[in-house]
Amino acid sequence: MSDLPRRLAVAVVGIPVVVGLLYLGGWPLTLPVAVLAALGAREVFALASARGTRAFPFLGMAGAAAVVAAAGWGGTYPVAAPALLAVVAGVAGLAFGRALASRRAADGPLGAVAVTVTGVVYVGLPLAAVPLLHALPAHAGWGGAAPSPWMGTMAVALPLAATWVGDSAAYFAGSAWGRNGPKLAPAISPNKSWAGAVAGLVGAGAAGAVWFVVAGPFLPDAPLRGFVGVVATGALLGAGAQAGDLVESLLKREAGVKDSGTLFPGHGGALDRLDALVVSLPLAYVILSALDAFS
C-alpha cells in the first residue's frame, strides 16, 4: 500500500475517534491524550538514544502523562499551573536522583536528565493544552444562553483543523509545484518547499474560515467574531504548525531516521503526528485566552 492510501485509511478511522473523544470531554478525553503524550515522549527518548544519550524513559513517560492529567484535573490554567510546575520540577529532581544513583560521569548524566525533562516539556506540556482548551468555552461563558455540549469540541477543532488542513495543502502543493522550486529549509527537511509552505498557510487560513462558519452557532460569545481575524488566526496557527514540523524534522535528522516510530501506518510514530500540534495547540490556547481577557 502506498503512502497516500495509508494516510487516508488512518484519517478515516482516526477522525471519528478524535471527534467522539472531544465530544465526551473530561477524563474520557484526558486519559487517551495522556497516553499519547507518554508515547510521544518515549519516541523523543528513542531519538536521543540513537545519538548515544540515554534518558530515563519510564520517568519521562510518566511525567508527560502526568502533566496532561494535571491539566484535566485543574480545568483552567490558573488552577492547573501549580500542579504542572510540580510535575516538571518533580521529574527534574527524580532524574537527577536517578543520575546520581546509576550513572557515572562517562555515562552522560547531564544529557540523561536534560532529555528526560525535554520529553515532558516538549510533548507533555503542549498536549496539556487539549483539556484546557476543551474546558475554556465553559469557563469563559462562550455558549450564550443555552450552552451546547459541542462547545469544547469546537474550541479544540480550531487548531486541529488549521494544522491538518494546512498540512494537507502543503503536502499536495509541494508534491505538485515544489519539487524543483526553492526549498524552505533544505538542511533540515529537503522535501519541504516554499510552495508547500505558502499553500499550507492558505489552507490553514481557509480552515479557520470554515471553522468560523461551523463553530459560530455553538460559540456565540467567543472572542473570535471577525471573519478576517479568524482567517489570520488560522494562518498563524498554520505557521506555528509548520515550525513544529521543522523542529521534529531536525530531531529526526540528528538521529538519522525517517520516522519517529511506526504507531500509525503511513504516518510514522506518535511524534510524527504530534510535531505540528505541539505548537498549534498551546498557541491556540494562548490566543483564545488572550482575546477573551481583552474582549
Side-chain angles (χ1 to χ4, degrees):
M1 185 182 290
S2 66
D3 189 54
L4 181 57
R6 286 179 176 177
R7 285 173 172 258
L8 292 176
V10 171
V12 167
V13 175
I15 290 177
V17 172
V18 170
V19 172
L21 292 175
L22 288 174
Y23 180 79
L24 292 173
W27 289 111
L29 171 64
T30 299
L31 292 179
V33 174
V35 171
L36 192 59
L39 295 174
R42 182 182 66 175
E43 292 178 4
V44 171
F45 305 144
L47 294 176
S49 179
R51 299 297 295 174
T53 301
R54 295 182 298 114
F56 302 111
F58 293 109
L59 174 60
M61 291 171 65
V67 292
V68 176
W73 164 79
T76 66
Y77 179 74
V79 175
L84 297 176
L85 179 60
V87 171
V88 175
V91 169
L94 290 172
F96 273 114
R98 286 286 308 277
L100 286 171
S102 63
R103 299 287 173 89
R104 299 172 299 175
D107 294 329
L110 179 58
V113 173
V115 171
T116 301
V117 176
T118 296
V120 177
V121 174
Y122 175 42
V123 185
L125 282 181
L127 289 189
V130 173
L132 294 177
L133 190 57
H134 189 276
L136 184 59
H139 288 289
W142 295 351
S148 166
W150 288 97
M151 289 193 306
T153 303
M154 292 301 164
V156 183
L158 175 58
L160 293 183
T163 299
W164 292 342
V165 173
D167 179 69
S168 297
Y171 175 81
F172 288 111
S175 298
W177 304 304
R179 294 184 183 277
N180 300 316
K183 302 303 180 182
L184 179 64
I188 298 174
S189 185
N191 293 328
K192 288 182 172 59
S193 65
W194 276 104
V198 172
L201 295 180
V202 173
V210 173
W211 177 88
F212 180 72
V213 174
V214 174
F218 300 96
L219 301 172
D221 293 330
L224 277 173
R225 299 187 182 92
F227 187 81
V228 174
V230 174
V231 171
T233 299
L236 181 59
L237 294 175
Q242 291 187 30
D245 194 343
L246 286 174
V247 169
E248 198 228 0
S249 294
L250 180 62
L251 297 180
K252 291 190 294 186
R253 179 160 290 273
E254 180 185 6
V257 299
K258 179 180 182 294
D259 296 320
S260 66
T262 58
L263 183 63
F264 300 110
H267 289 259
L271 199 60
D272 292 313
R273 290 300 87 207
L274 297 174
D275 54 358
L277 293 171
V278 298
V279 177
S280 62
L281 282 169
L283 181 59
Y285 182 78
V286 169
I287 291 173
L288 293 176
S289 296
L291 289 173
D292 184 69
F294 291 102
S295 63

